[in-house]
Amino acid sequence: MKYTSALLFLPRRLSCAACGEHRSWRPGMEGAGLRGVTPGGTEDPFFGEPLWLQTRCVGRILWAYNEAHVDELAAFVGARLRERGPTPTLAMVSRLPLWMKRADNRDEVLAGLDRLRDLAAPGRDRPADRSDAAHNHATRPRPHLSLLFRGGAYPADPAE
């Protein structure tokens, strides 16, 4: 894979270990391009399910995809001096909302990230463990999905 953005176009499978439900997602076609997803927001971009890691913070909803995402956010928010430099998360950091970047919200955002880290701990997978904030909020409408034009014909099965 040449670009990490191509990950937005790979087929996905969602499986529930508790009930056995499963769903699949494949990119659609639009003209000569593949129609992928747009990441970000309080729900999974592929299946639309609410993210597990959500909590209320500074009057908003703080969310993360996984513990590594929480760690990246905490490293940025907790930094006393933020310098631009070559970093793999520069694109994410530049898109963070202003309320997360403000120094006067730093302590509350870090506390919220600690709550998310607790929710990500092993064994915290029962419905009773879920934060009261972890439901669909429709905070970011997604009318524009990603398009991928790579040249040449696409296989009938994008997994090929």
Side-chain angles (χ1 to χ4, degrees):
M1 182 177 324
K2 188 172 181 179
Y3 300 103
T4 57
S5 60
L7 294 172
L8 302 175
F9 303 91
L10 294 177
R12 306 292 169 143
R13 184 173 170 91
L14 175 70
S15 300
C16 177
C19 70
E21 179 183 350
H22 65 276
R23 286 189 261 162
S24 296
W25 177 89
R26 292 190 177 281
M29 292 291 296
E30 184 168 319
L34 286 178
R35 172 70 64 191
V37 299
T38 302
T42 58
E43 66 281 336
D44 172 79
F46 297 96
F47 299 100
E49 295 296 326
L51 298 177
W52 186 266
L53 303 180
Q54 296 185 49
T55 190
R56 298 181 195 288
C57 181
V58 192
R60 306 252 176 29
I61 301 296
L62 177 62
W63 57 268
Y65 288 117
N66 53 37
E67 196 167 3
H69 189 196
V70 172
D71 293 341
E72 290 289 330
L73 290 171
F76 175 78
V77 172
R80 299 290 178 190
L81 177 63
R82 298 175 184 159
E83 296 178 326
R84 289 193 183 266
T87 173
T89 59
L90 187 58
M92 175 187 72
V93 168
S94 67
R95 290 176 173 85
L96 289 176
L98 184 59
W99 65 268
M100 286 183 71
K101 296 178 183 183
R102 294 184 53 148
D104 55 339
N105 291 338
R106 179 179 288 127
D107 292 338
E108 192 171 344
V109 173
L110 288 172
L113 291 168
D114 284 340
R115 288 192 300 274
L116 293 183
R117 195 173 280 111
D118 289 343
L119 286 171
R124 301 283 315 262
D125 55 0
R126 298 183 328 254
D129 295 331
R130 187 178 206 130
S131 164
D132 69 328
H135 59 277
N136 283 327
H137 303 284
T139 56
R140 183 172 170 198
R142 296 194 174 136
H144 305 294
L145 298 175
S146 304
L147 278 175
L148 176 67
F149 298 95
R150 76 172 177 207
Y154 290 97
D157 180 2
E160 294 176 3

mmCIF file with all atom_site columns, all heavy atoms in Angstrom, residues 4-10 12 25 27 35-39 45-46 146:
data_model
loop_
_atom_site.group_PDB
_atom_site.id
_atom_site.type_symbol
_atom_site.label_atom_id
_atom_site.label_alt_id
_atom_site.label_comp_id
_atom_site.label_asym_id
_atom_site.label_entity_id
_atom_site.label_seq_id
_atom_site.pdbx_PDB_ins_code
_atom_site.Cartn_x
_atom_site.Cartn_y
_atom_site.Cartn_z
_atom_site.occupancy
_atom_site.B_iso_or_equiv
_atom_site.pdbx_formal_charge
_atom_site.auth_seq_id
_atom_site.auth_comp_id
_atom_site.auth_asym_id
_atom_site.auth_atom_id
_atom_site.pdbx_PDB_model_num
ATOM 1   N N   . THR A 1 4   ? -1.243  5.719  3.324  1.00 0.00 ? 4   THR A N   1
ATOM 2   C CA  . THR A 1 4   ? -2.098  5.262  4.424  1.00 0.00 ? 4   THR A CA  1
ATOM 3   C C   . THR A 1 4   ? -3.547  5.654  4.191  1.00 0.00 ? 4   THR A C   1
ATOM 4   O O   . THR A 1 4   ? -4.448  5.022  4.730  1.00 0.00 ? 4   THR A O   1
ATOM 5   C CB  . THR A 1 4   ? -1.620  5.825  5.777  1.00 0.00 ? 4   THR A CB  1
ATOM 6   O OG1 . THR A 1 4   ? -1.593  7.256  5.705  1.00 0.00 ? 4   THR A OG1 1
ATOM 7   C CG2 . THR A 1 4   ? -0.259  5.293  6.140  1.00 0.00 ? 4   THR A CG2 1
ATOM 8   N N   . SER A 1 5   ? -3.804  6.674  3.385  1.00 0.00 ? 5   SER A N   1
ATOM 9   C CA  . SER A 1 5   ? -5.188  7.057  3.101  1.00 0.00 ? 5   SER A CA  1
ATOM 10  C C   . SER A 1 5   ? -5.934  5.929  2.387  1.00 0.00 ? 5   SER A C   1
ATOM 11  O O   . SER A 1 5   ? -7.163  5.887  2.417  1.00 0.00 ? 5   SER A O   1
ATOM 12  C CB  . SER A 1 5   ? -5.238  8.342  2.271  1.00 0.00 ? 5   SER A CB  1
ATOM 13  O OG  . SER A 1 5   ? -4.568  8.157  1.039  1.00 0.00 ? 5   SER A OG  1
ATOM 14  N N   . ALA A 1 6   ? -5.209  5.005  1.769  1.00 0.00 ? 6   ALA A N   1
ATOM 15  C CA  . ALA A 1 6   ? -5.857  3.871  1.107  1.00 0.00 ? 6   ALA A CA  1
ATOM 16  C C   . ALA A 1 6   ? -6.574  2.975  2.109  1.00 0.00 ? 6   ALA A C   1
ATOM 17  O O   . ALA A 1 6   ? -7.449  2.196  1.732  1.00 0.00 ? 6   ALA A O   1
ATOM 18  C CB  . ALA A 1 6   ? -4.830  3.068  0.310  1.00 0.00 ? 6   ALA A CB  1
ATOM 19  N N   . LEU A 1 7   ? -6.238  3.097  3.392  1.00 0.00 ? 7   LEU A N   1
ATOM 20  C CA  . LEU A 1 7   ? -6.929  2.311  4.425  1.00 0.00 ? 7   LEU A CA  1
ATOM 21  C C   . LEU A 1 7   ? -8.415  2.650  4.495  1.00 0.00 ? 7   LEU A C   1
ATOM 22  O O   . LEU A 1 7   ? -9.210  1.853  4.982  1.00 0.00 ? 7   LEU A O   1
ATOM 23  C CB  . LEU A 1 7   ? -6.289  2.549  5.794  1.00 0.00 ? 7   LEU A CB  1
ATOM 24  C CG  . LEU A 1 7   ? -4.859  2.042  5.954  1.00 0.00 ? 7   LEU A CG  1
ATOM 25  C CD1 . LEU A 1 7   ? -4.276  2.512  7.285  1.00 0.00 ? 7   LEU A CD1 1
ATOM 26  C CD2 . LEU A 1 7   ? -4.816  0.530  5.856  1.00 0.00 ? 7   LEU A CD2 1
ATOM 27  N N   . LEU A 1 8   ? -8.797  3.825  4.014  1.00 0.00 ? 8   LEU A N   1
ATOM 28  C CA  . LEU A 1 8   ? -10.202 4.244  4.028  1.00 0.00 ? 8   LEU A CA  1
ATOM 29  C C   . LEU A 1 8   ? -11.030 3.496  2.988  1.00 0.00 ? 8   LEU A C   1
ATOM 30  O O   . LEU A 1 8   ? -12.244 3.683  2.918  1.00 0.00 ? 8   LEU A O   1
ATOM 31  C CB  . LEU A 1 8   ? -10.306 5.747  3.784  1.00 0.00 ? 8   LEU A CB  1
ATOM 32  C CG  . LEU A 1 8   ? -9.561  6.642  4.757  1.00 0.00 ? 8   LEU A CG  1
ATOM 33  C CD1 . LEU A 1 8   ? -9.652  8.090  4.322  1.00 0.00 ? 8   LEU A CD1 1
ATOM 34  C CD2 . LEU A 1 8   ? -10.084 6.460  6.161  1.00 0.00 ? 8   LEU A CD2 1
ATOM 35  N N   . PHE A 1 9   ? -10.381 2.666  2.184  1.00 0.00 ? 9   PHE A N   1
ATOM 36  C CA  . PHE A 1 9   ? -11.052 1.986  1.080  1.00 0.00 ? 9   PHE A CA  1
ATOM 37  C C   . PHE A 1 9   ? -10.971 0.467  1.174  1.00 0.00 ? 9   PHE A C   1
ATOM 38  O O   . PHE A 1 9   ? -11.466 -0.224 0.296  1.00 0.00 ? 9   PHE A O   1
ATOM 39  C CB  . PHE A 1 9   ? -10.453 2.452  -0.252 1.00 0.00 ? 9   PHE A CB  1
ATOM 40  C CG  . PHE A 1 9   ? -10.552 3.936  -0.429 1.00 0.00 ? 9   PHE A CG  1
ATOM 41  C CD1 . PHE A 1 9   ? -9.527  4.761  0.000  1.00 0.00 ? 9   PHE A CD1 1
ATOM 42  C CD2 . PHE A 1 9   ? -11.683 4.505  -0.973 1.00 0.00 ? 9   PHE A CD2 1
ATOM 43  C CE1 . PHE A 1 9   ? -9.618  6.131  -0.136 1.00 0.00 ? 9   PHE A CE1 1
ATOM 44  C CE2 . PHE A 1 9   ? -11.792 5.883  -1.106 1.00 0.00 ? 9   PHE A CE2 1
ATOM 45  C CZ  . PHE A 1 9   ? -10.750 6.694  -0.692 1.00 0.00 ? 9   PHE A CZ  1
ATOM 46  N N   . LEU A 1 10  ? -10.326 -0.053 2.201  1.00 0.00 ? 10  LEU A N   1
ATOM 47  C CA  . LEU A 1 10  ? -10.200 -1.504 2.347  1.00 0.00 ? 10  LEU A CA  1
ATOM 48  C C   . LEU A 1 10  ? -11.473 -2.090 2.957  1.00 0.00 ? 10  LEU A C   1
ATOM 49  O O   . LEU A 1 10  ? -12.079 -1.484 3.837  1.00 0.00 ? 10  LEU A O   1
ATOM 50  C CB  . LEU A 1 10  ? -9.009  -1.848 3.238  1.00 0.00 ? 10  LEU A CB  1
ATOM 51  C CG  . LEU A 1 10  ? -7.636  -1.492 2.683  1.00 0.00 ? 10  LEU A CG  1
ATOM 52  C CD1 . LEU A 1 10  ? -6.552  -1.828 3.699  1.00 0.00 ? 10  LEU A CD1 1
ATOM 53  C CD2 . LEU A 1 10  ? -7.380  -2.220 1.373  1.00 0.00 ? 10  LEU A CD2 1
ATOM 54  N N   . ARG A 1 12  ? -13.948 -4.078 5.354  1.00 0.00 ? 12  ARG A N   1
ATOM 55  C CA  . ARG A 1 12  ? -13.922 -4.249 6.819  1.00 0.00 ? 12  ARG A CA  1
ATOM 56  C C   . ARG A 1 12  ? -14.964 -5.271 7.235  1.00 0.00 ? 12  ARG A C   1
ATOM 57  O O   . ARG A 1 12  ? -15.948 -5.500 6.548  1.00 0.00 ? 12  ARG A O   1
ATOM 58  C CB  . ARG A 1 12  ? -14.244 -2.930 7.535  1.00 0.00 ? 12  ARG A CB  1
ATOM 59  C CG  . ARG A 1 12  ? -13.409 -1.758 7.145  1.00 0.00 ? 12  ARG A CG  1
ATOM 60  C CD  . ARG A 1 12  ? -12.005 -1.960 7.621  1.00 0.00 ? 12  ARG A CD  1
ATOM 61  N NE  . ARG A 1 12  ? -11.146 -0.949 7.029  1.00 0.00 ? 12  ARG A NE  1
ATOM 62  C CZ  . ARG A 1 12  ? -10.148 -0.384 7.639  1.00 0.00 ? 12  ARG A CZ  1
ATOM 63  N NH1 . ARG A 1 12  ? -9.848  -0.720 8.859  1.00 0.00 ? 12  ARG A NH1 1
ATOM 64  N NH2 . ARG A 1 12  ? -9.408  0.512  7.036  1.00 0.00 ? 12  ARG A NH2 1
ATOM 65  N N   . TRP A 1 25  ? -18.311 -4.406 5.321  1.00 0.00 ? 25  TRP A N   1
ATOM 66  C CA  . TRP A 1 25  ? -18.351 -3.140 4.597  1.00 0.00 ? 25  TRP A CA  1
ATOM 67  C C   . TRP A 1 25  ? -17.369 -3.224 3.453  1.00 0.00 ? 25  TRP A C   1
ATOM 68  O O   . TRP A 1 25  ? -16.255 -3.729 3.599  1.00 0.00 ? 25  TRP A O   1
ATOM 69  C CB  . TRP A 1 25  ? -17.961 -1.980 5.522  1.00 0.00 ? 25  TRP A CB  1
ATOM 70  C CG  . TRP A 1 25  ? -17.927 -0.674 4.799  1.00 0.00 ? 25  TRP A CG  1
ATOM 71  C CD1 . TRP A 1 25  ? -18.969 0.184  4.640  1.00 0.00 ? 25  TRP A CD1 1
ATOM 72  C CD2 . TRP A 1 25  ? -16.810 -0.093 4.130  1.00 0.00 ? 25  TRP A CD2 1
ATOM 73  N NE1 . TRP A 1 25  ? -18.564 1.268  3.899  1.00 0.00 ? 25  TRP A NE1 1
ATOM 74  C CE2 . TRP A 1 25  ? -17.241 1.127  3.570  1.00 0.00 ? 25  TRP A CE2 1
ATOM 75  C CE3 . TRP A 1 25  ? -15.484 -0.481 3.930  1.00 0.00 ? 25  TRP A CE3 1
ATOM 76  C CZ2 . TRP A 1 25  ? -16.402 1.955  2.851  1.00 0.00 ? 25  TRP A CZ2 1
ATOM 77  C CZ3 . TRP A 1 25  ? -14.646 0.337  3.198  1.00 0.00 ? 25  TRP A CZ3 1
ATOM 78  C CH2 . TRP A 1 25  ? -15.107 1.554  2.679  1.00 0.00 ? 25  TRP A CH2 1
ATOM 79  N N   . PRO A 1 27  ? -16.061 -0.757 -0.080 1.00 0.00 ? 27  PRO A N   1
ATOM 80  C CA  . PRO A 1 27  ? -16.205 0.548  -0.722 1.00 0.00 ? 27  PRO A CA  1
ATOM 81  C C   . PRO A 1 27  ? -17.106 0.448  -1.944 1.00 0.00 ? 27  PRO A C   1
ATOM 82  O O   . PRO A 1 27  ? -17.116 -0.572 -2.636 1.00 0.00 ? 27  PRO A O   1
ATOM 83  C CB  . PRO A 1 27  ? -14.778 0.915  -1.119 1.00 0.00 ? 27  PRO A CB  1
ATOM 84  C CG  . PRO A 1 27  ? -14.080 -0.388 -1.249 1.00 0.00 ? 27  PRO A CG  1
ATOM 85  C CD  . PRO A 1 27  ? -14.719 -1.299 -0.241 1.00 0.00 ? 27  PRO A CD  1
ATOM 86  N N   . ARG A 1 35  ? -15.524 4.715  -3.533 1.00 0.00 ? 35  ARG A N   1
ATOM 87  C CA  . ARG A 1 35  ? -16.121 5.584  -2.537 1.00 0.00 ? 35  ARG A CA  1
ATOM 88  C C   . ARG A 1 35  ? -15.794 4.989  -1.168 1.00 0.00 ? 35  ARG A C   1
ATOM 89  O O   . ARG A 1 35  ? -16.248 3.917  -0.823 1.00 0.00 ? 35  ARG A O   1
ATOM 90  C CB  . ARG A 1 35  ? -17.627 5.646  -2.760 1.00 0.00 ? 35  ARG A CB  1
ATOM 91  C CG  . ARG A 1 35  ? -18.433 6.345  -1.732 1.00 0.00 ? 35  ARG A CG  1
ATOM 92  C CD  . ARG A 1 35  ? -18.305 7.818  -1.645 1.00 0.00 ? 35  ARG A CD  1
ATOM 93  N NE  . ARG A 1 35  ? -18.754 8.546  -2.810 1.00 0.00 ? 35  ARG A NE  1
ATOM 94  C CZ  . ARG A 1 35  ? -18.508 9.835  -2.956 1.00 0.00 ? 35  ARG A CZ  1
ATOM 95  N NH1 . ARG A 1 35  ? -17.843 10.498 -2.042 1.00 0.00 ? 35  ARG A NH1 1
ATOM 96  N NH2 . ARG A 1 35  ? -18.913 10.468 -4.010 1.00 0.00 ? 35  ARG A NH2 1
ATOM 97  N N   . GLY A 1 36  ? -14.960 5.692  -0.399 1.00 0.00 ? 36  GLY A N   1
ATOM 98  C CA  . GLY A 1 36  ? -14.550 5.231  0.923  1.00 0.00 ? 36  GLY A CA  1
ATOM 99  C C   . GLY A 1 36  ? -15.291 5.970  2.028  1.00 0.00 ? 36  GLY A C   1
ATOM 100 O O   . GLY A 1 36  ? -16.412 6.418  1.831  1.00 0.00 ? 36  GLY A O   1
ATOM 101 N N   . VAL A 1 37  ? -14.656 6.119  3.180  1.00 0.00 ? 37  VAL A N   1
ATOM 102 C CA  . VAL A 1 37  ? -15.282 6.768  4.327  1.00 0.00 ? 37  VAL A CA  1
ATOM 103 C C   . VAL A 1 37  ? -14.519 8.039  4.682  1.00 0.00 ? 37  VAL A C   1
ATOM 104 O O   . VAL A 1 37  ? -13.414 8.277  4.203  1.00 0.00 ? 37  VAL A O   1
ATOM 105 C CB  . VAL A 1 37  ? -15.322 5.835  5.555  1.00 0.00 ? 37  VAL A CB  1
ATOM 106 C CG1 . VAL A 1 37  ? -16.124 4.590  5.269  1.00 0.00 ? 37  VAL A CG1 1
ATOM 107 C CG2 . VAL A 1 37  ? -13.919 5.490  6.028  1.00 0.00 ? 37  VAL A CG2 1
ATOM 108 N N   . THR A 1 38  ? -15.107 8.832  5.561  1.00 0.00 ? 38  THR A N   1
ATOM 109 C CA  . THR A 1 38  ? -14.465 10.018 6.105  1.00 0.00 ? 38  THR A CA  1
ATOM 110 C C   . THR A 1 38  ? -14.308 9.788  7.602  1.00 0.00 ? 38  THR A C   1
ATOM 111 O O   . THR A 1 38  ? -15.302 9.660  8.308  1.00 0.00 ? 38  THR A O   1
ATOM 112 C CB  . THR A 1 38  ? -15.323 11.273 5.855  1.00 0.00 ? 38  THR A CB  1
ATOM 113 O OG1 . THR A 1 38  ? -15.518 11.392 4.454  1.00 0.00 ? 38  THR A OG1 1
ATOM 114 C CG2 . THR A 1 38  ? -14.645 12.506 6.388  1.00 0.00 ? 38  THR A CG2 1
ATOM 115 N N   . PRO A 1 39  ? -13.072 9.679  8.099  1.00 0.00 ? 39  PRO A N   1
ATOM 116 C CA  . PRO A 1 39  ? -12.888 9.407  9.532  1.00 0.00 ? 39  PRO A CA  1
ATOM 117 C C   . PRO A 1 39  ? -13.193 10.640 10.384 1.00 0.00 ? 39  PRO A C   1
ATOM 118 O O   . PRO A 1 39  ? -13.238 11.759 9.892  1.00 0.00 ? 39  PRO A O   1
ATOM 119 C CB  . PRO A 1 39  ? -11.417 9.030  9.628  1.00 0.00 ? 39  PRO A CB  1
ATOM 120 C CG  . PRO A 1 39  ? -10.781 9.689  8.450  1.00 0.00 ? 39  PRO A CG  1
ATOM 121 C CD  . PRO A 1 39  ? -11.812 9.747  7.377  1.00 0.00 ? 39  PRO A CD  1
ATOM 122 N N   . PRO A 1 45  ? -16.534 5.161  11.380 1.00 0.00 ? 45  PRO A N   1
ATOM 123 C CA  . PRO A 1 45  ? -16.810 5.649  10.034 1.00 0.00 ? 45  PRO A CA  1
ATOM 124 C C   . PRO A 1 45  ? -17.300 4.579  9.063  1.00 0.00 ? 45  PRO A C   1
ATOM 125 O O   . PRO A 1 45  ? -17.948 4.899  8.074  1.00 0.00 ? 45  PRO A O   1
ATOM 126 C CB  . PRO A 1 45  ? -15.465 6.218  9.580  1.00 0.00 ? 45  PRO A CB  1
ATOM 127 C CG  . PRO A 1 45  ? -14.447 5.555  10.417 1.00 0.00 ? 45  PRO A CG  1
ATOM 128 C CD  . PRO A 1 45  ? -15.112 5.231  11.720 1.00 0.00 ? 45  PRO A CD  1
ATOM 129 N N   . PHE A 1 46  ? -17.032 3.322  9.322  1.00 0.00 ? 46  PHE A N   1
ATOM 130 C CA  . PHE A 1 46  ? -17.426 2.259  8.397  1.00 0.00 ? 46  PHE A CA  1
ATOM 131 C C   . PHE A 1 46  ? -18.830 1.735  8.674  1.00 0.00 ? 46  PHE A C   1
ATOM 132 O O   . PHE A 1 46  ? -19.587 1.466  7.759  1.00 0.00 ? 46  PHE A O   1
ATOM 133 C CB  . PHE A 1 46  ? -16.421 1.102  8.462  1.00 0.00 ? 46  PHE A CB  1
ATOM 134 C CG  . PHE A 1 46  ? -15.050 1.502  8.023  1.00 0.00 ? 46  PHE A CG  1
ATOM 135 C CD1 . PHE A 1 46  ? -14.099 1.879  8.952  1.00 0.00 ? 46  PHE A CD1 1
ATOM 136 C CD2 . PHE A 1 46  ? -14.715 1.531  6.684  1.00 0.00 ? 46  PHE A CD2 1
ATOM 137 C CE1 . PHE A 1 46  ? -12.832 2.279  8.554  1.00 0.00 ? 46  PHE A CE1 1
ATOM 138 C CE2 . PHE A 1 46  ? -13.451 1.924  6.267  1.00 0.00 ? 46  PHE A CE2 1
ATOM 139 C CZ  . PHE A 1 46  ? -12.511 2.305  7.212  1.00 0.00 ? 46  PHE A CZ  1
ATOM 140 N N   . SER A 1 146 ? -14.787 9.836  1.070  1.00 0.00 ? 146 SER A N   1
ATOM 141 C CA  . SER A 1 146 ? -13.525 9.873  0.335  1.00 0.00 ? 146 SER A CA  1
ATOM 142 C C   . SER A 1 146 ? -13.659 9.183  -1.011 1.00 0.00 ? 146 SER A C   1
ATOM 143 O O   . SER A 1 146 ? -14.365 8.193  -1.155 1.00 0.00 ? 146 SER A O   1
ATOM 144 C CB  . SER A 1 146 ? -12.448 9.161  1.151  1.00 0.00 ? 146 SER A CB  1
ATOM 145 O OG  . SER A 1 146 ? -12.335 9.735  2.415  1.00 0.00 ? 146 SER A OG  1
#
